[in-house]
Amino acid sequence: DTGVSQDPRHKITKRGQNVTFRCDPISEHNRLYWYRQTLGQGPEFLTYFQNEAQLEKSRLLSDRFSAERPKGSFSTLEIQRTEQGDSAMYLCASTGSYEQYFGPGTRLTVT
Amino acid sequence: ILNVEQSPQSLHVQEGDSTNFTCSFPSSNFYALHWYRWETAKSPEALFVMTLNGDEKKKGRISATLNTKEGYSYLYIKGSQPEDSATYLCAFNSGSARQLTFGSGTQLTVLP
């Protein structure tokens, strides 16, 4: 296993369109996290899964955002009706214990 | 609301200089403190996870210390090299939360 992967790496979309990102965690990790990072800030927590169960969601995760981890393996993050304020780097991380291992992120630009 | 502060925000040093950054975090309900290095177009790379007051960890030329009672950690880089140029992030784990709360990072540029 080569680590956490994310797809796509870059996404440019027009305001109002829907986008979906995918995260493939390290295979034996049962916890998976989504974070969002905007310019000049550190990553901010969005949501996390233990296996297939979504256990916590940040207040940053508006009703336009939805995340799934259907079989406790890969996860998807969907943003509906994108807004310019959604432009950010979306990071995924997985862990089996203390240390969270991050993917390279998906950079979203909403025009 | 958990506040994790990092200073300085950015730093330029000459190759060969030693440098250090600060991370301050809430001293109550501490669980773990993480340091990451994040280079452009790459994944954030875990440097250290520190859990005990007084912990000191070292990886090559990089080391870190932890004071949980006063709520701070220092990251030191000895003899900086251009390849050390990156954003260094610290992140706090409280006992009641699984997720990390990040500082805004220190952007280090090492000039050859």
Side-chain angles (χ1 to χ4, degrees):
Chain A
D1 192 300
T2 57
V4 179
S5 62
Q6 292 187 245
D7 183 69
R9 294 289 303 273
H10 302 273
K11 179 72 178 178
I12 300 173
T13 192
K14 291 186 178 178
R15 190 175 52 189
Q17 297 294 303
N18 299 343
V19 293
T20 300
F21 311 140
R22 177 178 169 125
C23 171
D24 287 89
I26 293 171
S27 57
E28 62 268 27
H29 288 175
N30 60 356
R31 292 203 298 275
L32 183 149
Y33 299 78
W34 286 98
Y35 293 86
R36 180 174 71 185
Q37 189 247 353
T38 53
L39 198 61
Q41 302 296 317
E44 294 175 292
F45 169 73
L46 292 178
T47 189
Y48 101 90
F49 293 83
Q50 180 145 331
N51 300 312
E52 66 275 12
Q54 188 174 17
L55 295 187
E56 192 164 343
K57 292 192 282 189
S58 161
R59 57 183 164 76
L60 293 176
L61 212 67
S62 77
D63 57 6
R64 296 185 297 106
F65 287 68
S66 62
E68 293 183 342
R69 194 182 183 198
K71 295 183 181 178
S73 56
F74 73 92
S75 176
T76 58
L77 178 69
E78 182 184 14
I79 309 174
Q80 295 184 325
R81 305 180 304 282
T82 51
E83 301 173 356
Q84 286 187 318
D86 297 332
S87 296
M89 174 75 83
Y90 290 84
L91 290 162
C92 173
S94 70
T95 183
S97 59
Y98 288 115
E99 197 166 313
Q100 293 189 19
Y101 294 85
F102 281 82
T106 294
R107 181 166 294 285
L108 173 66
T109 303
V110 182
T111 61
Chain B
I1 296 176
L2 299 174
N3 281 324
V4 179
E5 305 282 344
Q6 289 190 247
S7 64
Q9 189 173 10
S10 66
L11 192 56
H12 288 71
V13 300
Q14 290 294 135
E15 183 175 355
D17 287 351
S18 294
T19 188
N20 65 85
F21 325 133
T22 304
C23 172
S24 62
F25 53 86
S27 55
S28 60
N29 203 19
F30 176 85
Y31 186 73
L33 192 283
H34 304 244
W35 281 100
Y36 287 88
R37 174 169 60 202
W38 195 4
E39 295 178 67
T40 304
K42 294 186 177 180
S43 304
E45 174 198 355
L47 291 174
F48 305 112
V49 181
M50 307 174 81
T51 56
L52 297 175
N53 184 45
D55 250 357
E56 292 189 27
K57 295 214 171 179
K58 189 175 180 183
K59 183 186 283 191
R61 295 179 291 99
I62 304 177
S63 60
T65 61
L66 179 68
N67 183 323
T68 61
K69 293 185 178 180
E70 296 182 39
Y72 65 83
S73 176
Y74 295 133
L75 187 80
Y76 300 91
I77 303 179
K78 186 177 177 182
S80 303
Q81 299 296 308
E83 58 265 31
D84 296 330
S85 297
T87 296
Y88 290 82
L89 292 164
C90 74
F92 170 78
N93 231 155
S94 73
S96 57
R98 295 286 192 181
Q99 68 269 27
L100 299 178
T101 301
F102 282 86
S104 54
T106 293
Q107 187 171 9
L108 173 68
T109 304
V110 182
L111 304 168

